[in-house]
Amino acid sequence: MKIRILDILEETMADGPGFRTSIYCAGCAHHCPGCHNPQSWDITNGRMVDVEDILDVVLSDPFADVAFSGGDPMFQPEPFTELARAIKERSCKNIWCYTGYTYDKDLLSGRLCDKSITEKMLKNIDILVDGKFVEELKNLKLRFKGSENQRIIDLKKTLSENKTILWEG
């Protein structure tokens, strides 16, 4: 399976705590004004990369955790589900995922794609940063998110307790 990505940044500290290997995907339907990565909106930008090749990069650094960013990884749910599953099967890495969709209204509803695909992906994600970037709510003092409306959700606790629980980092 292949994913259309713009870039892979190794040892970044911008997309979650500690060192991370961040996979920046192509494709985003949100087109948020003030987006820091508008070149990611077009799904035809970037290059097609095999999930196994990305996995090799991720696993080559024993110290870095992982972030899916973009664009929006939920724009390509099947390959990112496969990548997340493979990372969890072969490592104990922590995975953060950034999406402009909201957890409760968009992802759980099954509106984006087959609900079973979304559920499989969410089970392999540790932290979900959800919500569109809103330029009027931009706050440079926020950790790991761009605007005040976005939430950092602890998915492991959320799924086990069946209610949305925010990450307390």
Side-chain angles (χ1 to χ4, degrees):
M1 187 173 289
K2 294 189 180 284
I3 301 176
R4 185 168 289 277
I5 66 165
L6 297 175
D7 205 357
I8 298 175
L9 294 180
E10 297 178 68
E11 296 187 0
T12 180
M13 295 177 73
D15 298 319
F19 288 111
R20 298 207 167 254
T21 301
S22 291
I23 297 103
Y24 288 89
C25 68
C28 183
H30 307 298
H31 300 183
C32 301
C35 173
H36 79 284
N37 202 4
Q39 66 275 19
S40 70
W41 297 351
D42 187 347
I43 190 68
T44 64
N45 285 343
R47 65 192 191 281
M48 294 298 289
V49 179
D50 193 79
V51 166
E52 284 296 321
D53 293 336
I54 297 172
L55 186 60
D56 288 344
V57 173
V58 167
L59 297 179
S60 71
D61 186 339
F63 303 108
D65 285 317
V66 181
F68 299 161
S69 193
D72 194 322
M74 297 300 178
F75 200 76
Q76 301 181 69
E78 291 177 9
F80 272 98
T81 296
E82 176 62 25
L83 179 58
R85 184 197 55 75
I87 290 168
K88 288 300 187 176
E89 280 182 0
R90 299 183 200 175
S91 75
C92 59
K93 293 182 180 292
N94 171 278
I95 301 174
W96 280 47
C97 181
Y98 288 78
T99 181
Y101 296 105
T102 58
Y103 173 72
D104 0 39
K105 294 176 187 164
D106 298 320
L107 300 180
L108 293 182
S109 72
R111 293 183 327 170
L112 305 177
C113 64
D114 183 318
K115 192 173 179 178
S116 67
I117 294 170
T118 306
E119 289 172 352
K120 287 177 190 172
M121 183 171 179
L122 294 175
K123 286 179 184 173
N124 288 297
I125 301 297
D126 297 285
I127 302 293
L128 182 75
V129 182
D130 81 339
K132 295 178 185 177
F133 171 75
V134 177
E135 195 167 22
E136 295 79 25
L137 299 175
K138 180 179 180 179
N139 182 340
L140 297 176
K141 294 179 182 176
L142 298 172
R143 289 181 60 210
F144 311 125
K145 60 183 186 172
S147 58
E148 305 219 1
N149 62 297
Q150 295 172 312
R151 301 179 298 174
I152 302 176
I153 300 171
D154 185 325
L155 271 184
K156 295 300 177 206
K157 288 182 182 176
T158 293
L159 293 173
S160 72
E161 297 184 29
N162 203 27
K163 64 180 182 176
T164 303
I165 298 175
L166 301 181
W167 179 70
E168 296 179 11

